[in-house]
């Protein structure tokens, strides 16, 4: 170790006190008169010492809340699928809440399709998984603690497992039948969780779709004239992005899986060069890290001089946190406006410049000697004599010897 320097970073107000292009989650820093340089046989290594960012993000955000719907309405097939928000963006604390919210949004999305009966809307939602979970197993008698009324029981056991599977049924009403179940006229319904729309399939336990032209169904859907039942194939989950990735713009020697660098559906290589400096775990209130080893997260630069650096935050697909890769918004979570497309609008697009999307970190910069360079140690040959003193023999020389 030749030298070590602590580099303290705070990206809050970064567009005011530094580069005007900087944002709270994408900061550009110039070292100006504090350039760091290494010599022959030395390298510059950056190590993350600590990191903190307030968790002002949602578990369900713009990248795991949308899917494509396509179906037949009154016997007429839709010409193309439509992208709809099927789970409201926010934090959920139980998968059953997500299931009910999904059913509510699906019913509203179907009711907004052209050609459905007038006034088509949700009449009732049944969480079949929850209903089964709270039904006492046949043959089991729950002992009463008091006779009541109301009766209370000594045990809440039902003998049923929690499977975390999506299983909801939706019945509909219409203007002509406002209080009883009515025909919805929807058939051949497909709900396709395309990877291009994010990771809603992870949340709902469905199959991922990788082809926007075929729009394969991500769920098991059973349709009767009065109701629609949607079942997931796999257990649901509350969080799809358990980490945030701190990345660096400088060339370095790290490697990563191709999927960490893009949300595309095809990749030319399994492993590619990485720009990741660290991955920081998510907690309820923050993204925090405190190193307990010398070089737990580090990168070795492929340059000898450090005069500027860019640090930015992404999710596991190299997308800005909570946003599509090309969304062009500085807000990842907040008060939403009225959506006119699959792009989520926000009342303010300034969370990363004037809001609370920022981070602080300490980065240790080490200059490390990795080898002794081989240099010429002997004295160079002497310069030739001046021609007037060379006894008629003239030779051509240089300050470093004969050529």
């Amino acid at each position: 170790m030749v030298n070590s320097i602590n580099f303290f970073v705070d990206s809050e107000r970064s567009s005011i006190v530094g580069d005007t292009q900087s944002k709270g989650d994408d900061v550009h820093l110039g070292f100006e008169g504090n350039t760091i340089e290494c010599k022959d046989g030395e390298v510059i290594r950056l190590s993350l010492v600590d990191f903190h960012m307030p968790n002002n993000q949602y578990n369900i955000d713009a990248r795991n809340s949308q899917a494509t719907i396509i179906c037949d309405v009154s016997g007429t097939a839709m010409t193309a699928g439509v992208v709809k928000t099927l789970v409201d963006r926010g934090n959920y604390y139980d998968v059953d809440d997500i299931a009910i919210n999904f059913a509510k949004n699906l019913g509203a999305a179907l009711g907004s399709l052209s050609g459905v009966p007038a006034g088509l809307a949700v009449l009732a939602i049944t969480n079949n998984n929850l209903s089964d979970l709270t039904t006492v197993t046949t043959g089991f008698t729950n002992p009463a603690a008091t006779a009541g009324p109301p009766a209370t029981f000594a045990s809440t056991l039902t003998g049923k497992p929690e499977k975390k599977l999506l299983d909801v049924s939706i019945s509909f009403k219409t203007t002509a039948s406002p209080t009883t179940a009515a025909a919805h006229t929807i058939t051949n319904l497909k709900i396709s969780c395309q990877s291009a729309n994010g990771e809603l399939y992870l949340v709902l336990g469905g199959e991922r779709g990788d082809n926007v032209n075929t729009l394969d169904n991500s769920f098991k859907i059973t349709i009767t004239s009065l109701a629609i039942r949607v079942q997931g194939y796999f257990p649901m989950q509350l969080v799809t992005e358990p980490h945030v990735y701190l990345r660096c713009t400088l060339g370095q020697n790290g490697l990563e899986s191709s999927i960490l660098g893009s949300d595309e559906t095809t990749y030319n290589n399994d492993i590619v060069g990485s720009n990741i400096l660290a991955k920081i775990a998510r907690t309820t209130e923050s993204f925090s890290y405190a190193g307990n080893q010398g070089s737990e997260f580090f990168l070795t630069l492929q340059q000898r001089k450090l005069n500027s650096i860019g640090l930015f935050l992404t999710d596991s697909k190299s997308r800005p946190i909570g946003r599509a890769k090309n969304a062009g918004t500085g807000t990842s979570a907040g008060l939403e406006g009225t959506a006119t497309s699959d792009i989520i609008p926000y009342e303010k697009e300034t969370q990363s410049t004037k809001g609370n999307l920022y981070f602080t970190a300490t980065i240790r910069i080490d200059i490390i000697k990795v080898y002794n360079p081989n240099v010429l140690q002997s004295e160079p040959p002497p310069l030739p004599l001046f021609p007037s003193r060379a006894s008629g023999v003239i030779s051509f020389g240089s300050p470093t010897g004969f050529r």
Side-chain angles (χ1 to χ4, degrees):
M1 187 79 67
V2 177
N3 194 11
S4 291
I5 301 166
N6 277 331
F7 175 35
F8 299 95
V9 180
D10 190 334
S11 68
E12 208 262 329
R13 303 187 188 185
S14 58
S15 62
I16 297 177
V17 299
D19 191 321
T20 57
Q21 299 300 313
S22 290
K23 300 177 181 179
D25 61 341
D26 185 1
V27 61
H28 310 278
L29 301 167
F31 284 73
E32 299 172 344
N34 299 298
T35 299
I36 298 170
E37 188 172 359
C38 64
K39 300 178 181 179
D40 290 343
E42 299 173 349
V43 295
I44 300 175
R45 176 173 292 174
L46 308 183
S47 302
L48 185 65
V49 178
D50 61 56
F51 178 96
H52 175 80
M53 181 179 73
N55 186 5
N56 297 315
Q57 320 300 320
Y58 294 143
N59 293 344
I60 304 299
D61 56 30
R63 297 308 304 157
N64 58 7
S65 59
Q66 295 181 316
T68 302
I69 295 176
I70 190 168
C71 62
D72 296 349
V73 180
S74 300
T76 302
M78 294 174 58
T79 56
V82 291
V83 177
K84 295 287 186 178
T85 292
L86 296 184
V87 179
D88 290 335
R89 285 162 286 280
N91 291 327
Y92 296 81
Y93 302 98
D94 193 290
V95 293
D96 289 313
D97 286 330
I98 294 179
I100 296 167
N101 187 270
F102 162 76
K104 182 261 297 186
N105 283 309
L106 176 61
L110 295 175
S112 67
L113 296 177
S114 176
V116 298
L120 186 71
V122 173
L123 174 66
I125 295 172
T126 302
N127 186 335
N128 301 306
N129 186 48
L130 187 59
S131 298
D132 181 66
L133 180 65
T134 55
T135 302
V136 178
T137 300
T138 302
F140 172 67
T141 301
N142 208 343
T146 62
T152 60
F153 298 97
S155 170
T156 57
L157 299 177
T158 62
K160 299 292 183 65
E162 170 58 81
K163 296 183 178 180
K164 298 175 61 177
L165 291 173
L166 174 68
D167 188 352
V168 293
S169 295
I170 311 168
S171 59
F172 295 86
K173 61 182 179 181
T174 61
T175 302
S177 180
T179 58
T180 57
H184 48 71
T185 72
I186 294 171
T187 56
N188 298 325
L189 172 63
K190 289 183 179 181
I191 305 172
S192 186
C193 296
Q194 290 292 312
S195 55
N197 296 326
E199 289 78 49
L200 182 60
Y201 65 93
L202 295 177
V203 175
L204 298 178
E207 270 194 331
R208 183 185 69 249
D210 292 327
N211 191 331
V212 294
N213 296 317
T214 59
L215 293 180
D216 294 329
N217 215 334
S218 296
F219 306 95
K220 179 181 179 182
I221 299 179
T222 305
I223 300 177
T224 64
S225 60
L226 301 178
I228 295 175
R229 182 179 184 182
V230 182
Q231 295 173 273
Y233 296 115
F234 318 111
M236 301 171 65
Q237 63 188 70
L238 294 171
V239 178
T240 61
E241 291 291 344
H243 296 91
V244 67
Y245 290 75
L246 176 62
R247 297 176 185 259
C248 175
T249 57
L250 303 177
Q252 51 119 339
N253 62 347
L255 300 173
E256 67 181 47
S257 299
S258 295
I259 196 171
L260 290 173
S262 172
D263 60 355
E264 303 296 332
T265 56
T266 57
Y267 303 90
N268 295 325
N269 303 98
D270 296 331
I271 305 296
V272 296
S274 177
N275 59 3
I276 297 174
L277 171 57
K279 54 182 290 189
I280 296 95
R282 180 183 207 140
T283 64
T284 303
E285 293 298 326
S286 67
F287 294 86
S288 297
Y289 166 80
N292 54 16
Q293 297 181 16
S295 300
E296 191 165 346
F297 290 123
F298 71 92
L299 57 83
T300 303
L301 300 184
Q302 296 177 344
Q303 60 193 57
R304 295 179 55 176
K305 181 181 291 187
L306 180 59
N307 51 23
S308 66
I309 189 173
L311 299 170
F312 60 104
L313 303 175
T314 73
D315 65 9
S316 62
K317 305 296 186 299
S318 196
R319 301 171 300 212
I321 303 172
R323 291 155 283 174
K325 184 169 290 187
N326 300 313
T329 174
T331 297
S332 63
L335 181 62
E336 295 184 17
T338 302
T340 57
S341 67
D342 57 328
I343 301 298
I344 312 301
Y346 292 97
E347 291 291 339
K348 288 292 184 178
E349 306 284 355
T350 55
Q351 186 183 15
S352 62
T353 53
K354 296 183 178 181
N356 55 11
L357 181 55
Y358 71 96
F359 69 92
T360 63
T362 304
I363 298 173
R364 192 175 73 241
I365 304 174
D366 296 325
I367 298 178
I368 301 173
K369 189 170 186 177
V370 293
Y371 67 90
N372 291 317
N374 294 321
V375 295
L376 184 63
Q377 300 294 332
S378 59
E379 295 184 5
L383 291 173
L385 297 174
F386 289 105
S388 60
R389 302 177 183 177
S391 302
V393 179
I394 299 175
S395 60
F396 297 90
S398 72
T400 57
F402 295 110
R403 291 184 177 178

